[in-house]
Amino acid sequence: MVIKVFLASSSGSTAIKKKQQDVVGFLEALKVDYTQLDIACNEENRMWMRQNVPVDKKPTNGIPLPPQIFNEDSYCGDYDTFFDAKEDNSVYAFLGLPPPPGSKEAEQAAKVLGVENGTPAEEPKADGSVDASAEVPVEERNGDAHGEEEQAADEEEVEGEGEGGEEEDVADEETAGDEALAEEEEEAVEETDEANAQEEDEQEEADEDRDEEEEEEEEEEEDMEETQEEEAE
């Protein structure tokens, strides 16, 4: 399986460049094999990326911005989902790769699997005794403390929602700026194409004019030769 990272080597957006560097740098730190595909210099790469990003993952204008990450032909996500996976220590799951033994992600997966299968029984201590807490159900052992933890968690969640709203607003502004920049880049490319086409038309006209002048000069030379022959006779 090959991880594909679609990048724009000549992007004018500082934010896009930083996101691309973050993704590439983290993959290299994890020693994950990946391939960089440039959409700025290769139209096929750009079209493939746009066609294979799922519709529900595209921005409102329908133009996904780099970096975009794939595992072969399977879409993994963009920078935001990659960043969330990095924060959750689940990058290998995000990439569709098995975590290496000894990694934090592998340890977390083992813990989750242990909880799903049931926690193993407490082993006796050296003196032969067993921890009394192991024989008491979790609900009873936690008692009121469990309720206090839930209340504290609810308060943190409310605070987090307030902070999250501000972060979402900032992210929306950055996304809007990136989308506007992408549209400007598209317009610049179209203007460049039009200018090139105009230059080609002007060059063709100049070539035609030069050909006509050469034909006229040849005709004049032929007329002069004929005149000289007649005078000689």
Side-chain angles (χ1 to χ4, degrees):
M1 293 183 288
V2 178
I3 301 301
K4 301 177 181 178
V5 183
F6 287 84
L7 309 173
S9 61
S10 60
S11 174
S13 170
T14 303
I16 290 179
K17 289 181 179 178
K18 183 179 182 301
K19 291 176 180 180
Q20 294 177 164
Q21 292 172 355
D22 288 346
V23 172
V24 171
F26 197 75
L27 292 178
E28 290 179 350
L30 294 180
K31 297 182 179 180
V32 173
D33 292 333
Y34 70 95
T35 300
Q36 295 186 33
L37 299 173
D38 191 0
I39 66 171
C41 301
N42 191 313
E43 184 65 21
E44 291 182 3
N45 289 341
R46 185 192 319 202
M47 296 304 298
W48 192 96
M49 182 194 77
R50 291 184 177 181
Q51 292 172 357
N52 287 275
V53 172
V55 176
D56 59 335
K57 302 297 182 181
K58 292 181 179 180
T60 53
N61 65 355
I63 302 175
L65 298 174
Q68 297 290 336
I69 307 166
F70 290 79
N71 183 335
E72 295 290 355
D73 295 340
S74 300
Y75 182 68
C76 298
D78 57 5
Y79 173 79
D80 292 333
T81 50
F82 174 84
F83 180 82
D84 292 340
K86 184 173 70 171
E87 291 294 306
D88 295 337
N89 289 324
S90 59
V91 172
Y92 287 97
F94 167 82
L95 297 174
L97 301 174
S103 65
K104 291 183 179 180
E105 190 168 342
E107 293 175 358
Q108 288 183 350
K111 290 179 181 179
V112 172
L113 184 61
V115 171
E116 291 177 352
N117 295 336
T119 305
E122 188 83 11
E123 294 183 358
K125 297 181 179 179
D127 58 0
S129 62
V130 178
D131 189 356
S133 62
E135 300 177 357
V136 180
V138 175
E139 294 81 359
E140 296 179 7
R141 185 169 66 246
N142 290 340
D144 296 337
H146 183 65
E148 294 175 356
E149 290 177 358
E150 288 185 350
Q151 183 178 358
D154 293 340
E155 292 175 356
E156 291 178 358
E157 183 178 353
V158 172
E159 294 177 357
E161 289 178 355
E163 296 175 355
E166 296 177 358
E167 293 177 356
E168 289 178 358
D169 293 339
V170 173
D172 291 340
E173 292 177 359
E174 291 182 354
T175 301
D178 292 341
E179 291 176 356
L181 182 59
E183 292 177 356
E184 290 177 0
E185 291 179 353
E186 291 286 339
E187 291 176 357
V189 172
E190 292 177 357
E191 291 176 357
T192 301
D193 293 340
E194 292 176 358
N196 291 337
Q198 184 176 357
E199 289 180 359
E200 292 178 357
D201 293 340
E202 292 176 353
Q203 185 63 38
E204 290 179 358
E205 292 178 358
D207 292 340
E208 292 177 357
D209 293 339
R210 185 169 58 254
D211 293 340
E212 291 178 358
E213 291 177 356
E214 291 177 353
E215 290 178 358
E216 291 177 356
E217 290 176 356
E218 291 177 356
E219 292 177 356
E220 289 178 358
E221 290 177 356
E222 292 177 357
D223 293 339
M224 289 178 63
E225 290 176 356
E226 292 178 356
T227 302
Q228 290 175 355
E229 291 176 356
E230 291 175 357
E231 290 177 353
E233 292 174 356

